Amino acid sequence: MDVLEEIDDLELMTDDASEELEGDGQLYEHFRMEVDKGQEPVRIDKYLSEHQPHSSRNRIQKAADAGFIHVNDKPVKSNYKVRPGDVVTLMLDRPHYDTTILPEEIPLDVVYEDEELMVINKPAGMVVHPGCGNFNGTLVNAIAWHLKDLDSYDPNDPEVGLVHRIDKDTSGLLVVAKTPEAKTSLGKQFFNKTTHRSYNALVWGNFVEDEGRIEGNIGRDPKDRLRMEVFPPDSEIGKPAVTHYKVLERYGYTTLVECILETGRTHQIRAHMKHIGHPLFGDERYGGTEILRGERTASYKAYIQNCFRLCSRQVLHAKTLGFVHPTYGNQMDFTSEWPDDMKALIEKWRNYVRI
C-alpha cells in the first residue's frame, strides 16, 4: 500500500465500520524519508507527490492540513518548502498495521459465479474491506478463501476484487471481479452510471408524494468525520450526488421506500434521507435511533424499542444489481431477498397498521 493511503484508510473505515477509534495521544511513525543533498527548495506537497507516485497532491495536502506530515519532528503545512537533509515523516495517532489480505474461512452467500466474476449477498454486520479496527473477518478475507485455489486471483492486487462497497450494517448485493479485464469493464460501467442498483430502506415519517429526487453534494461533516453531510449542488463542497426514491409501503410513522442511485457516494442514501427529514430507521449515525414520529404513549415507545431490538441496524438492503457481463456482453440482473431481521421488522410494521 502507498504510505499516504493510510490517510484514506482512516477515512474509508467509516464507510464500513462506522465506529470511532480513540487514540492514546501518542503519534506513531508510518513512513520516513530524507531529502537528497542536491534537492532544490520545493513545496512539500509537490515533492511528496513526485516521490509517492500513487498519492495525489490533494491527498498529500489533506494529510499535511491534518498535522500528519512532519519535517524534522515538527508538523508542517503543504506549502512548506523542503531543503536538503530534511527528514520527512508521516505520523499518525495509531500504530501501523499490516494490511495484507489473508484468506479466512468465512461462509459466503454466492448468488452467481463464473470464470470472470461473482455476485455476493453480503450479510449485515460484515465489514467489506480491512481498515482501522477491522483487520480480519471482512468480506475480502472471505473472498480470498473462496478463491484461494485460483492461481490468477491475488486478493492484494487492486486490479481484481470488489468493484464497489456497501456499509458494514447494510445488507445486499456486491459484484467481485476475478480478472483485471472484468474489473476494468465493471468499473467503467459504474463510472458511466450504466449499472442498475436499487435499495430498499425503512425511513422515519410519511411522504406527501409517492416518488421524488434528492440532489445535493455529499462531503464529510466538518463537525463529525464519521458522518457525511449534504451541501448545495453549487457549493463546490463535496461530490455531486443524486438519489431517486419511490414509496413502496406506508406505515403511518415510517415508510418503506425504494432508492435508486445515480451516483455512489459514501453513505449517500443515509445522508440524503436525513437531509430531507426522513432518516433511516435504526440508523444511529444519522439520528434514526430516536423516536422521530408517532405517539407519546408508553406502549408506543415500548413498541419502537422492540423494533430496534428486532433489527438493530439501519434498515437498508441492496436489493437489485444489474450490469453487462464484461466478456459476453449480455445483461445480468440479480435480486436478493430481505434478510430475516428486516423481514421481521417490516412484518411488525405491517401488523401495526392493521390494528
Side-chain angles (χ1 to χ4, degrees):
M1 176 189 286
D2 186 331
V3 64
L4 287 172
E5 287 184 15
E6 296 280 356
I7 306 303
D8 280 0
D9 189 45
L10 294 178
E11 298 295 314
L12 286 172
M13 76 168 189
T14 66
D15 302 355
D16 292 332
S18 296
E19 59 185 46
E20 182 77 70
L21 294 177
E22 296 182 359
D24 56 10
Q26 181 177 350
L27 292 179
Y28 300 86
E29 182 179 307
H30 286 236
F31 168 73
R32 170 182 290 263
M33 68 180 301
E34 184 173 344
V35 178
D36 295 337
K37 293 181 179 179
Q39 176 65 49
E40 295 291 328
V42 63
R43 284 175 56 115
I44 195 166
D45 54 353
K46 184 175 187 297
Y47 176 81
L48 284 176
S49 66
E50 292 172 349
H51 287 76
Q52 294 288 327
H54 299 293
S55 294
S56 69
R57 193 164 178 175
N58 180 257
R59 178 189 289 169
I60 293 165
Q61 289 169 349
K62 287 181 178 180
D65 291 343
F68 294 144
I69 295 179
H70 290 211
V71 174
N72 303 328
D73 299 325
K74 294 182 179 180
V76 298
K77 295 301 182 183
S78 54
N79 62 355
Y80 174 87
K81 291 188 176 182
V82 299
R83 297 170 176 81
D86 277 349
V87 177
V88 180
T89 54
L90 175 67
M91 306 293 294
L92 300 180
D93 59 356
R94 62 211 70 211
H96 177 75
Y97 292 96
D98 183 1
T99 56
T100 301
I101 297 168
L102 299 175
E104 295 181 43
E105 190 173 2
I106 302 169
L108 279 179
D109 181 5
V110 179
V111 177
Y112 172 85
E113 183 173 10
D114 63 24
E115 68 277 8
E116 296 288 328
L117 57 89
M118 58 193 295
V119 176
I120 295 169
N121 190 26
K122 184 188 86 69
M126 176 180 273
V127 175
V128 168
H129 198 280
C132 291
N134 297 277
F135 293 99
N136 51 54
T138 73
L139 182 63
V140 296
N141 295 113
I143 294 168
W145 178 271
H146 184 82
L147 300 178
K148 67 183 187 302
D149 296 326
L150 185 63
D151 293 338
S152 60
Y153 186 84
D154 178 358
N156 295 286
D157 183 355
E159 293 188 350
V160 295
L162 282 167
V163 182
H164 58 123
R165 296 171 178 242
I166 57 178
D167 297 339
K168 171 189 175 184
D169 287 327
T170 299
S171 54
L173 297 171
L174 289 163
V175 61
V176 179
K178 291 184 179 181
T179 67
E181 294 77 16
K183 188 162 188 182
T184 298
S185 172
L186 292 166
K188 285 181 179 178
Q189 292 181 54
F190 275 88
F191 180 80
N192 293 327
K193 305 173 187 175
T194 58
T195 59
H196 176 84
R197 287 179 289 166
S198 73
Y199 292 72
N200 286 175
L202 183 71
V203 303
W204 277 105
N206 201 357
F207 289 81
V208 174
E209 63 284 347
D210 289 330
E211 56 186 49
R213 180 179 186 272
I214 311 168
E215 181 175 6
N217 290 10
I218 291 182
R220 210 159 287 280
D221 186 336
K223 297 179 182 178
D224 182 355
R225 71 179 183 84
L226 299 181
R227 185 171 59 195
M228 307 306 287
E229 185 63 80
V230 179
F231 301 92
D234 58 355
S235 66
E236 298 185 356
I237 302 174
K239 296 179 180 179
V242 176
T243 302
H244 300 269
Y245 67 88
K246 178 182 179 181
V247 172
L248 298 178
E249 296 180 27
R250 298 176 185 270
Y251 311 120
Y253 303 130
T254 60
T255 306
L256 180 66
V257 296
E258 177 187 55
C259 296
I260 296 177
L261 304 179
E262 275 193 28
T263 53
R265 308 304 182 197
T266 300
H267 296 184
Q268 178 170 322
I269 293 172
R270 299 166 68 187
H272 268 172
M273 284 297 169
K274 165 75 172 179
H275 179 65
I276 65 171
H278 296 281
L280 269 62
F281 190 86
D283 190 347
E284 183 176 7
R285 181 65 57 193
Y286 290 89
T289 52
E290 302 293 327
I291 300 179
L292 301 178
R293 303 286 194 282
E295 305 162 11
R296 296 184 178 182
T297 63
S299 60
Y300 178 74
K301 291 178 181 178
Y303 168 79
I304 295 299
Q305 293 305 320
N306 286 334
C307 287
F308 288 150
R309 283 191 287 270
L310 196 59
C311 186
S312 56
R313 62 178 178 100
Q314 71 258 12
V315 187
L316 183 61
H317 177 69
K319 177 75 173 174
T320 68
L321 174 63
F323 53 85
V324 173
H325 194 283
T327 300
Y328 306 121
N330 57 303
Q331 178 67 31
M332 305 191 74
D333 294 295
F334 302 92
T335 300
S336 62
E337 296 298 317
W338 296 335
D340 290 343
D341 61 349
M342 187 170 172
K343 285 181 182 177
L345 179 63
I346 297 302
E347 190 58 32
K348 191 173 182 68
W349 275 104
R350 286 171 175 165
N351 290 333
Y352 180 83
V353 296
R354 291 190 192 115
I355 298 174

